[in-house]
Coordinates of all heavy atoms in Angstrom, one line a residue:
Chain B
L60 N -4.6 18.0 2.2 CA -4.1 16.7 1.9 C -4.9 16.1 0.7 O -6.1 16.2 0.6 CB -4.3 15.7 3.1 CG -3.3 16.0 4.2 CD1 -3.7 15.0 5.4 CD2 -1.9 15.8 3.8
N73 N -9.5 -2.1 -15.5 CA -10.5 -3.1 -15.6 C -10.2 -4.2 -16.5 O -10.8 -5.3 -16.4 CB -11.8 -2.4 -15.9 CG -12.6 -2.0 -14.7 OD1 -12.1 -2.0 -13.6 ND2 -13.9 -1.7 -14.9
R119 N -11.7 -17.8 -4.3 CA -11.4 -17.9 -2.8 C -10.7 -16.6 -2.4 O -9.7 -16.2 -3.0 CB -10.5 -19.1 -2.6 CG -11.1 -20.4 -3.0 CD -12.1 -20.9 -2.0 NE -11.4 -21.6 -0.9 CZ -11.2 -22.9 -1.0 NH1 -11.6 -23.7 -2.0 NH2 -10.5 -23.5 0.0
L185 N 4.0 14.5 -11.2 CA 4.7 15.8 -11.2 C 4.9 16.4 -12.6 O 4.8 17.6 -12.8 CB 6.1 15.6 -10.5 CG 6.0 15.4 -9.0 CD1 7.4 15.1 -8.5 CD2 5.4 16.5 -8.3
A190 N -2.0 18.3 -10.9 CA -2.3 18.1 -9.5 C -1.7 19.1 -8.6 O -2.1 19.2 -7.4 CB -1.9 16.7 -9.0
F195 N 5.2 15.5 -0.9 CA 4.7 14.1 -0.8 C 4.9 13.5 0.6 O 5.9 13.6 1.2 CB 5.5 13.2 -1.8 CG 5.1 13.3 -3.2 CD1 6.0 13.7 -4.2 CD2 3.8 13.0 -3.6 CE1 5.7 13.7 -5.5 CE2 3.5 13.1 -5.0 CZ 4.4 13.4 -5.9
A229 N 0.3 10.8 15.2 CA 1.5 11.6 15.4 C 2.6 11.3 14.4 O 3.3 12.2 14.0 CB 2.1 11.3 16.8
I231 N 2.0 10.7 11.2 CA 1.6 11.4 10.0 C 1.9 12.9 10.2 O 2.5 13.5 9.3 CB 0.1 11.2 9.7 CG1 -0.2 9.7 9.4 CG2 -0.4 12.2 8.7 CD1 -1.6 9.4 9.3
P247 N 14.3 21.3 -0.2 CA 13.5 20.0 -0.4 C 14.5 18.8 -0.3 O 15.6 18.9 -0.8 CB 12.9 20.1 -1.8 CG 13.8 21.1 -2.5 CD 14.3 22.0 -1.5
N251 N 13.0 10.9 6.5 CA 12.5 9.6 6.9 C 12.1 9.8 8.4 O 12.9 9.8 9.3 CB 13.5 8.5 6.8 CG 13.0 7.2 7.3 OD1 11.8 7.0 7.6 ND2 13.9 6.2 7.4
D274 N 10.8 -8.9 -14.0 CA 11.4 -7.9 -14.9 C 10.4 -6.7 -14.9 O 9.2 -6.8 -14.8 CB 11.4 -8.5 -16.3 CG 12.6 -9.3 -16.5 OD1 13.7 -9.1 -15.9 OD2 12.6 -10.2 -17.4
K276 N 8.4 -3.7 -16.6 CA 7.7 -3.5 -17.9 C 6.9 -2.2 -17.9 O 6.6 -1.6 -16.8 CB 6.7 -4.7 -18.1 CG 5.6 -4.7 -17.1 CD 4.5 -5.7 -17.6 CE 3.2 -5.5 -16.7 NZ 2.1 -6.4 -17.0
A278 N 3.5 -0.2 -17.9 CA 2.2 -0.7 -17.5 C 1.2 0.4 -17.5 O 1.5 1.6 -17.4 CB 2.3 -1.2 -16.0
G282 N -6.5 5.7 -14.7 CA -6.4 7.1 -14.5 C -5.1 7.7 -15.0 O -5.1 8.8 -15.6
V309 N -5.2 -12.0 -23.2 CA -4.8 -10.7 -23.9 C -5.2 -9.6 -23.0 O -6.3 -9.3 -22.7 CB -5.6 -10.7 -25.2 CG1 -5.2 -9.4 -26.0 CG2 -5.4 -11.9 -26.1
P318 N -19.1 3.9 -16.3 CA -19.6 5.2 -16.8 C -19.8 6.2 -15.6 O -20.4 5.8 -14.6 CB -21.0 4.8 -17.4 CG -21.1 3.4 -17.5 CD -20.0 2.8 -16.7
I329 N -6.7 15.1 -8.9 CA -7.3 16.2 -9.5 C -8.6 16.6 -9.0 O -9.0 17.7 -8.9 CB -7.4 15.9 -11.1 CG1 -6.0 15.8 -11.6 CG2 -8.1 17.0 -11.8 CD1 -6.0 15.4 -13.1
V330 N -9.4 15.5 -8.6 CA -10.7 15.8 -8.0 C -10.8 15.0 -6.7 O -10.1 14.0 -6.5 CB -12.0 15.4 -8.8 CG1 -12.1 16.2 -10.0 CG2 -11.9 13.9 -9.1
R367 N -18.1 12.9 7.0 CA -19.1 13.8 7.7 C -18.5 14.1 9.1 O -18.9 15.1 9.7 CB -20.4 13.0 7.9 CG -21.1 12.8 6.6 CD -22.3 11.8 6.8 NE -22.8 11.4 5.5 CZ -22.2 10.4 4.9 NH1 -21.2 9.8 5.3 NH2 -22.7 10.0 3.7

Side-chain angles (χ1 to χ4, degrees):
Chain B
L60 286 178
N73 269 14
R119 298 282 277 270
L185 291 174
F195 282 121
I231 293 170
N251 178 11
D274 276 332
K276 65 167 189 180
V309 183
I329 295 177
V330 292
R367 295 169 193 81

